[in-house]
Coordinates of all heavy atoms in Angstrom, one line a residue:
E30 N -10.7 2.6 -3.8 CA -10.2 2.1 -2.5 C -9.5 0.7 -2.8 O -10.0 -0.1 -3.6 CB -11.3 1.9 -1.5 CG -10.9 1.3 -0.3 CD -12.0 1.2 0.7 OE1 -12.9 0.3 0.7 OE2 -12.0 2.1 1.6
V31 N -8.3 0.5 -2.3 CA -7.6 -0.7 -2.5 C -7.6 -1.4 -1.1 O -7.4 -0.8 0.0 CB -6.0 -0.4 -2.9 CG1 -5.2 -1.7 -2.8 CG2 -6.1 0.2 -4.3
I32 N -7.8 -2.7 -1.1 CA -7.8 -3.4 0.1 C -6.6 -4.3 0.1 O -6.4 -5.1 -0.7 CB -9.1 -4.4 0.2 CG1 -10.4 -3.6 0.0 CG2 -9.1 -5.2 1.4 CD1 -10.7 -2.6 1.2
I33 N -5.8 -4.1 1.2 CA -4.6 -5.0 1.4 C -5.1 -6.2 2.2 O -5.6 -6.1 3.3 CB -3.6 -4.3 2.3 CG1 -3.0 -3.0 1.4 CG2 -2.4 -5.2 2.6 CD1 -2.0 -2.2 2.1
F34 N -4.9 -7.4 1.7 CA -5.3 -8.7 2.4 C -4.1 -9.1 3.1 O -3.1 -9.4 2.6 CB -5.7 -9.6 1.3 CG -6.3 -10.9 1.9 CD1 -7.2 -11.0 2.8 CD2 -5.7 -12.1 1.4 CE1 -7.6 -12.2 3.3 CE2 -6.1 -13.4 2.0 CZ -7.0 -13.4 2.9
N35 N -4.3 -9.3 4.3 CA -3.2 -9.6 5.3 C -3.5 -10.9 6.1 O -3.8 -11.0 7.2 CB -3.0 -8.5 6.4 CG -1.9 -8.6 7.3 OD1 -1.0 -9.5 7.1 ND2 -2.0 -7.9 8.4
P36 N -3.5 -12.1 5.3 CA -3.9 -13.4 6.0 C -3.1 -13.9 7.1 O -3.6 -14.7 8.0 CB -3.9 -14.3 4.8 CG -2.9 -13.8 3.8 CD -3.0 -12.3 4.0
T37 N -1.9 -13.5 7.2 CA -0.9 -13.9 8.3 C -1.0 -13.0 9.4 O -0.5 -13.2 10.5 CB 0.4 -14.1 7.8 OG1 0.9 -12.7 7.4 CG2 0.6 -15.0 6.7
L38 N -1.9 -11.9 9.4 CA -2.1 -11.0 10.4 C -0.7 -10.4 10.9 O -0.5 -10.2 12.1 CB -2.8 -11.6 11.5 CG -4.3 -12.0 11.2 CD1 -4.9 -12.7 12.4 CD2 -5.2 -10.9 10.6
T39 N 0.2 -10.1 9.9 CA 1.4 -9.5 10.2 C 1.2 -8.0 10.5 O 0.3 -7.3 9.9 CB 2.2 -9.6 8.9 OG1 2.4 -11.0 8.5 CG2 3.7 -9.0 9.1
R40 N 2.0 -7.4 11.4 CA 1.8 -6.1 11.7 C 2.2 -5.3 10.5 O 3.4 -5.3 10.1 CB 2.7 -5.6 12.9 CG 2.4 -4.2 13.3 CD 3.0 -3.8 14.7 NE 2.3 -4.6 15.8 CZ 1.1 -4.3 16.3 NH1 0.4 -3.3 15.7 NH2 0.6 -5.0 17.2
L41 N 1.3 -4.4 10.0 CA 1.6 -3.5 8.9 C 1.9 -2.1 9.5 O 1.1 -1.6 10.1 CB 0.4 -3.5 7.9 CG -0.1 -4.7 7.3 CD1 -1.3 -4.5 6.4 CD2 1.0 -5.6 6.6
L42 N 3.1 -1.6 9.1 CA 3.5 -0.4 9.7 C 3.2 0.8 8.7 O 2.7 1.8 9.3 CB 5.0 -0.5 10.0 CG 5.4 -1.5 10.9 CD1 7.0 -1.6 11.1 CD2 4.8 -1.4 12.2
F43 N 3.6 0.7 7.5 CA 3.5 1.8 6.5 C 3.1 1.4 5.2 O 3.4 0.3 4.8 CB 4.9 2.6 6.4 CG 5.4 3.3 7.6 CD1 6.3 2.7 8.4 CD2 4.8 4.6 8.0 CE1 6.7 3.4 9.6 CE2 5.3 5.2 9.2 CZ 6.2 4.6 9.9
V44 N 2.4 2.2 4.4 CA 2.1 2.0 3.0 C 2.5 3.2 2.2 O 2.3 4.4 2.7 CB 0.7 1.7 2.7 CG1 0.4 1.7 1.3 CG2 0.3 0.4 3.4
E45 N 3.3 3.1 1.1 CA 3.7 4.1 0.3 C 3.1 3.9 -1.1 O 3.1 2.7 -1.6 CB 5.1 4.3 0.1 CG 5.8 4.9 1.4 CD 7.2 5.1 1.2 OE1 7.9 4.6 0.2 OE2 7.9 5.8 2.0
I46 N 2.6 4.9 -1.8 CA 2.1 4.7 -3.2 C 3.1 5.6 -4.0 O 3.1 6.8 -3.7 CB 0.7 5.1 -3.3 CG1 -0.2 4.1 -2.5 CG2 0.3 5.0 -4.9 CD1 -1.6 4.5 -2.5
R47 N 3.7 5.0 -5.0 CA 4.6 5.8 -5.9 C 4.2 5.6 -7.3 O 3.7 4.6 -7.7 CB 6.0 5.4 -5.7 CG 6.6 5.7 -4.3 CD 8.1 5.2 -4.2 NE 8.6 5.5 -2.9 CZ 9.2 6.7 -2.5 NH1 9.3 7.6 -3.4 NH2 9.6 6.9 -1.3
D48 N 4.5 6.7 -8.1 CA 4.0 6.6 -9.5 C 5.2 5.9 -10.2 O 6.2 5.5 -9.7 CB 3.8 8.0 -10.1 CG 5.0 8.9 -10.2 OD1 6.1 8.4 -10.0 OD2 4.8 10.1 -10.5
I49 N 5.0 5.7 -11.5 CA 5.9 5.0 -12.3 C 7.3 5.5 -12.4 O 8.3 4.8 -12.6 CB 5.3 4.7 -13.8 CG1 6.0 3.5 -14.5 CG2 5.4 5.9 -14.6 CD1 5.6 2.2 -14.0
N50 N 7.4 6.8 -12.1 CA 8.7 7.5 -12.1 C 9.4 7.5 -10.7 O 10.4 8.1 -10.5 CB 8.5 8.9 -12.6 CG 8.1 9.0 -14.0 OD1 8.6 8.3 -14.9 ND2 7.1 9.8 -14.3
G51 N 8.7 6.9 -9.7 CA 9.2 6.8 -8.4 C 8.9 7.9 -7.4 O 9.3 8.0 -6.3
R52 N 8.1 8.9 -8.0 CA 7.7 10.0 -7.1 C 6.6 9.5 -6.0 O 5.7 8.8 -6.4 CB 7.0 11.1 -7.9 CG 8.0 11.8 -8.7 CD 7.3 13.0 -9.5 NE 6.3 12.4 -10.4 CZ 6.2 12.6 -11.7 NH1 7.0 13.5 -12.2 NH2 5.3 12.1 -12.4
L53 N 6.9 10.0 -4.8 CA 5.9 9.6 -3.7 C 4.6 10.3 -3.9 O 4.5 11.5 -4.0 CB 6.6 9.8 -2.4 CG 5.7 9.6 -1.2 CD1 5.6 8.0 -1.0 CD2 6.4 10.1 0.1
I54 N 3.5 9.6 -4.0 CA 2.2 10.1 -4.2 C 1.4 10.1 -2.9 O 0.8 11.2 -2.5 CB 1.3 9.2 -5.1 CG1 2.1 9.1 -6.5 CG2 0.0 9.8 -5.3 CD1 2.3 10.4 -7.2
K55 N 1.7 9.1 -2.0 CA 0.9 9.0 -0.8 C 1.7 8.1 0.2 O 2.2 7.1 -0.2 CB -0.4 8.4 -1.0 CG -1.4 8.4 0.2 CD -2.7 7.8 -0.2 CE -3.7 8.8 0.0 NZ -5.1 8.3 -0.1
A56 N 1.7 8.6 1.5 CA 2.4 7.7 2.5 C 1.4 7.7 3.7 O 0.9 8.7 4.1 CB 3.7 8.3 3.0
I57 N 1.2 6.5 4.2 CA 0.2 6.3 5.2 C 0.8 5.4 6.3 O 1.3 4.4 6.0 CB -1.0 5.5 4.6 CG1 -1.7 6.3 3.6 CG2 -2.2 5.3 5.8 CD1 -2.7 5.5 2.8
K58 N 0.7 5.9 7.6 CA 1.2 5.1 8.8 C 0.0 4.3 9.2 O -1.1 4.7 9.4 CB 1.6 6.0 9.9 CG 2.1 5.3 11.0 CD 2.5 6.3 12.1 CE 3.1 5.4 13.4 NZ 3.4 6.3 14.4
L59 N 0.2 3.0 9.2 CA -0.9 2.1 9.6 C -0.8 1.5 11.0 O -1.7 1.7 11.8 CB -0.8 0.8 8.6 CG -1.1 1.1 7.2 CD1 -0.9 -0.1 6.4 CD2 -2.5 1.7 7.0
D60 N 0.2 0.7 11.4 CA 0.4 0.1 12.6 C -0.8 -0.8 13.0 O -1.5 -0.5 14.0 CB 0.8 1.0 13.7 CG 1.4 0.4 15.0 OD1 1.9 -0.7 14.8 OD2 1.3 1.0 16.1
T61 N -1.2 -1.7 12.1 CA -2.4 -2.5 12.3 C -2.1 -4.0 12.0 O -1.1 -4.3 11.2 CB -3.5 -2.1 11.4 OG1 -4.7 -2.8 11.7 CG2 -3.2 -2.2 10.0
I62 N -2.8 -4.9 12.5 CA -2.7 -6.3 12.2 C -4.0 -6.8 11.7 O -4.4 -8.0 11.7 CB -2.2 -7.2 13.4 CG1 -3.2 -7.0 14.7 CG2 -0.8 -6.9 13.8 CD1 -3.0 -7.9 15.8
D63 N -4.9 -5.9 11.2 CA -6.2 -6.3 10.6 C -6.0 -7.3 9.4 O -5.0 -7.1 8.6 CB -6.9 -5.1 10.2 CG -7.4 -4.2 11.4 OD1 -7.4 -4.8 12.5 OD2 -7.6 -3.1 11.2
L64 N -7.1 -8.1 9.1 CA -7.1 -9.0 8.0 C -7.3 -8.2 6.6 O -6.6 -8.5 5.7 CB -8.2 -10.0 8.1 CG -8.4 -11.0 7.1 CD1 -7.1 -11.9 7.0 CD2 -9.6 -12.0 7.3
H65 N -8.1 -7.2 6.7 CA -8.3 -6.4 5.5 C -8.1 -5.0 5.8 O -8.7 -4.5 6.8 CB -9.8 -6.5 5.0 CG -10.1 -8.0 4.6 ND1 -10.8 -8.8 5.3 CD2 -9.9 -8.5 3.4 CE1 -11.0 -10.0 4.7 NE2 -10.4 -9.9 3.5
V66 N -7.2 -4.3 5.1 CA -6.8 -3.0 5.4 C -7.1 -2.1 4.1 O -6.5 -2.2 3.1 CB -5.2 -2.9 5.7 CG1 -4.9 -1.4 6.1 CG2 -4.9 -3.7 6.9
P67 N -8.1 -1.2 4.3 CA -8.5 -0.4 3.1 C -7.6 0.8 3.0 O -7.2 1.5 3.9 CB -9.9 0.1 3.5 CG -10.0 0.1 5.0 CD -9.0 -1.0 5.4
I68 N -7.1 1.1 1.8 CA -6.3 2.3 1.4 C -7.1 3.1 0.4 O -7.4 2.7 -0.7 CB -5.0 1.8 0.8 CG1 -4.2 0.8 1.7 CG2 -4.0 3.0 0.5 CD1 -3.8 1.4 3.1
P69 N -7.4 4.3 0.7 CA -8.2 5.2 -0.1 C -7.3 5.7 -1.3 O -6.1 6.1 -1.1 CB -8.6 6.4 0.7 CG -7.7 6.5 1.9 CD -7.2 5.0 2.1
V70 N -7.8 5.6 -2.5 CA -6.9 5.9 -3.7 C -7.8 6.7 -4.7 O -7.5 6.7 -5.9 CB -6.4 4.7 -4.4 CG1 -5.3 4.0 -3.5 CG2 -7.5 3.6 -4.8
V71 N -8.9 7.4 -4.2 CA -9.7 8.1 -5.2 C -9.0 9.2 -6.0 O -9.4 9.6 -7.0 CB -11.0 8.6 -4.5 CG1 -11.9 7.5 -4.0 CG2 -10.6 9.5 -3.4
E72 N -7.9 9.8 -5.3 CA -7.3 10.9 -6.0 C -6.3 10.4 -7.0 O -5.7 11.3 -7.8 CB -6.6 11.8 -4.9 CG -5.3 11.0 -4.3 CD -5.7 10.1 -3.1 OE1 -6.9 9.9 -2.9 OE2 -4.8 9.5 -2.6
L73 N -6.1 9.1 -7.2 CA -5.2 8.7 -8.2 C -5.7 8.7 -9.6 O -6.8 8.2 -9.9 CB -4.6 7.3 -7.8 CG -3.9 7.1 -6.6 CD1 -3.4 5.6 -6.4 CD2 -2.7 8.0 -6.5
S74 N -4.9 9.2 -10.6 CA -5.3 9.1 -11.9 C -5.1 7.7 -12.5 O -4.4 6.9 -11.9 CB -4.5 10.1 -12.8 OG -4.6 11.4 -12.3
A75 N -5.6 7.5 -13.7 CA -5.4 6.3 -14.3 C -3.9 6.1 -14.6 O -3.2 7.1 -15.0 CB -6.2 6.1 -15.7
G76 N -3.4 4.9 -14.4 CA -1.9 4.6 -14.6 C -1.4 3.5 -13.8 O -2.1 2.9 -13.1
N77 N -0.1 3.4 -13.8 CA 0.7 2.3 -13.1 C 1.3 3.0 -11.9 O 1.8 4.0 -11.9 CB 1.7 1.8 -13.9 CG 1.2 0.9 -15.1 OD1 0.4 0.0 -14.8 ND2 1.6 1.2 -16.3
Y78 N 1.1 2.3 -10.8 CA 1.8 2.7 -9.5 C 2.4 1.6 -8.8 O 2.1 0.4 -9.1 CB 0.6 3.3 -8.6 CG -0.1 4.5 -9.1 CD1 -1.2 4.4 -9.9 CD2 0.4 5.8 -8.8 CE1 -1.7 5.5 -10.5 CE2 -0.2 6.9 -9.4 CZ -1.3 6.7 -10.2 OH -1.9 7.8 -10.7
F79 N 3.2 1.9 -7.8 CA 3.8 0.9 -7.0 C 3.3 1.1 -5.5 O 3.5 2.2 -5.0 CB 5.4 0.9 -7.1 CG 5.9 0.5 -8.4 CD1 6.3 1.4 -9.3 CD2 6.0 -0.8 -8.8 CE1 6.7 1.2 -10.5 CE2 6.4 -1.2 -10.1 CZ 6.8 -0.2 -10.9
L80 N 2.9 0.1 -5.0 CA 2.4 0.0 -3.6 C 3.5 -0.7 -2.8 O 3.7 -1.9 -3.0 CB 1.1 -0.8 -3.5 CG 0.4 -0.8 -2.2 CD1 -0.2 0.5 -1.9 CD2 -0.8 -1.8 -2.3
T81 N 4.1 -0.1 -1.8 CA 5.1 -0.6 -0.9 C 4.5 -0.7 0.5 O 4.1 0.3 1.0 CB 6.4 0.2 -0.9 OG1 6.9 0.3 -2.3 CG2 7.4 -0.4 0.0
I82 N 4.6 -1.9 1.0 CA 4.1 -2.2 2.3 C 5.2 -2.6 3.2 O 5.9 -3.5 2.8 CB 3.0 -3.3 2.3 CG1 1.9 -3.1 1.3 CG2 2.5 -3.7 3.7 CD1 1.1 -4.3 0.8
Q83 N 5.4 -1.9 4.3 CA 6.4 -2.1 5.3 C 5.8 -2.8 6.5 O 4.9 -2.3 7.1 CB 7.1 -0.9 5.7 CG 8.3 -1.1 6.7 CD 9.0 0.0 7.1 OE1 8.8 1.1 6.5 NE2 9.9 -0.1 8.1
T84 N 6.4 -4.0 6.8 CA 5.9 -4.8 7.9 C 6.9 -4.7 9.0 O 8.0 -4.1 8.8 CB 5.5 -6.2 7.6 OG1 6.8 -6.9 7.3 CG2 4.6 -6.3 6.4
K85 N 6.8 -5.4 10.1 CA 7.7 -5.4 11.2 C 9.1 -5.9 10.7 O 10.2 -5.6 11.1 CB 7.3 -6.0 12.4 CG 8.1 -5.9 13.6 CD 7.4 -6.3 14.8 CE 8.4 -6.1 16.0 NZ 7.6 -5.8 17.2
G86 N 9.1 -6.9 9.8 CA 10.3 -7.6 9.3 C 10.5 -7.6 7.9 O 11.4 -8.4 7.4
D87 N 9.6 -6.9 7.1 CA 9.8 -7.1 5.6 C 9.4 -5.9 4.9 O 8.6 -5.1 5.5 CB 9.0 -8.2 5.3 CG 9.4 -9.0 3.9 OD1 10.5 -8.5 3.4 OD2 8.9 -9.9 3.5
V88 N 9.7 -5.7 3.6 CA 9.2 -4.7 2.8 C 8.7 -5.3 1.5 O 9.4 -6.1 0.9 CB 10.2 -3.6 2.5 CG1 9.7 -2.6 1.5 CG2 10.7 -2.9 3.7
I89 N 7.4 -5.2 1.1 CA 6.9 -5.8 0.0 C 6.4 -4.8 -1.0 O 5.7 -3.7 -0.6 CB 5.6 -6.7 0.4 CG1 6.0 -7.6 1.5 CG2 5.0 -7.3 -0.8 CD1 5.0 -8.1 2.3
T90 N 6.7 -4.9 -2.3 CA 6.3 -3.9 -3.2 C 5.5 -4.6 -4.4 O 5.9 -5.6 -4.8 CB 7.5 -3.1 -4.0 OG1 8.3 -2.5 -2.9 CG2 7.2 -2.1 -5.0
K91 N 4.4 -4.1 -4.7 CA 3.4 -4.7 -5.7 C 3.2 -3.5 -6.7 O 3.0 -2.4 -6.3 CB 2.2 -5.2 -5.1 CG 2.4 -6.3 -4.1 CD 2.8 -7.6 -4.9 CE 2.9 -8.8 -3.9 NZ 3.2 -9.9 -4.5
R92 N 2.9 -4.0 -8.0 CA 2.5 -3.1 -9.0 C 1.0 -3.0 -8.9 O 0.2 -3.9 -8.7 CB 2.9 -3.5 -10.4 CG 2.7 -2.5 -11.4 CD 3.2 -2.9 -12.7 NE 2.1 -3.8 -13.3 CZ 1.9 -4.0 -14.5 NH1 2.7 -3.5 -15.4 NH2 0.9 -4.8 -14.9
M93 N 0.4 -1.8 -9.1 CA -1.0 -1.5 -9.0 C -1.3 -0.7 -10.2 O -0.7 0.3 -10.6 CB -1.3 -0.8 -7.8 CG -2.7 -0.3 -7.6 SD -2.9 0.5 -5.9 CE -2.1 2.0 -6.1
V94 N -2.4 -1.2 -11.0 CA -2.9 -0.5 -12.2 C -4.2 0.2 -11.9 O -5.2 -0.6 -11.5 CB -3.0 -1.5 -13.3 CG1 -3.5 -0.8 -14.6 CG2 -1.6 -2.1 -13.6
M95 N -4.3 1.5 -12.0 CA -5.6 2.2 -11.9 C -6.2 2.4 -13.2 O -5.5 2.9 -14.1 CB -5.3 3.5 -11.2 CG -4.8 3.4 -9.7 SD -5.8 2.5 -8.6 CE -7.2 3.7 -8.5
Q96 N -7.4 2.1 -13.4 CA -8.1 2.3 -14.7 C -9.1 3.4 -14.6 O -9.6 3.7 -13.6 CB -8.8 1.1 -15.1 CG -7.7 -0.1 -15.4 CD -8.4 -1.4 -15.9 OE1 -9.6 -1.4 -16.0 NE2 -7.6 -2.3 -16.2

C-alpha cells in the first residue's frame, strides 16, 4: 500500500500508475480531500513505476520504486 500525503487538502481526482515503459497498470478515481489517501499496490512486481496524481488544478508525477 502506498499512502499519498495531502497536507494542503487539495481535491485529488485521479491516480494512475504506469510502468517504466509508460503502460497503464492501474487507474483509480478518488475525488477526495483526505490528508492520507491509501493506494493498494500489492499486485505490482518489483520495479520502477510512475505515480500520476491529478488534482482539480494540477497534475503531479512521482517516481515510485517497488522492492
Side-chain angles (χ1 to χ4, degrees):
E30 179 174 79
V31 171
I32 305 292
I33 297 173
F34 181 56
N35 184 16
T37 59
L38 299 178
T39 302
R40 181 166 300 281
L41 304 179
L42 301 175
F43 294 98
V44 170
E45 289 183 346
I46 299 174
R47 294 184 179 270
D48 68 12
I49 198 76
N50 296 315
R52 289 183 297 233
L53 181 64
I54 304 299
K55 183 179 242 188
I57 302 169
K58 182 178 178 183
L59 296 174
D60 197 20
T61 185
I62 57 169
D63 293 339
L64 181 62
H65 296 100
V66 181
I68 305 297
V70 293
V71 294
E72 70 278 2
L73 297 182
S74 303
N77 292 302
Y78 296 89
F79 291 101
L80 182 72
T81 301
I82 304 162
Q83 182 178 353
T84 69
K85 189 166 181 150
D87 206 2
V88 176
I89 303 155
T90 301
K91 297 289 185 178
R92 192 178 79 152
M93 179 173 69
V94 179
M95 298 296 294
Q96 296 183 355

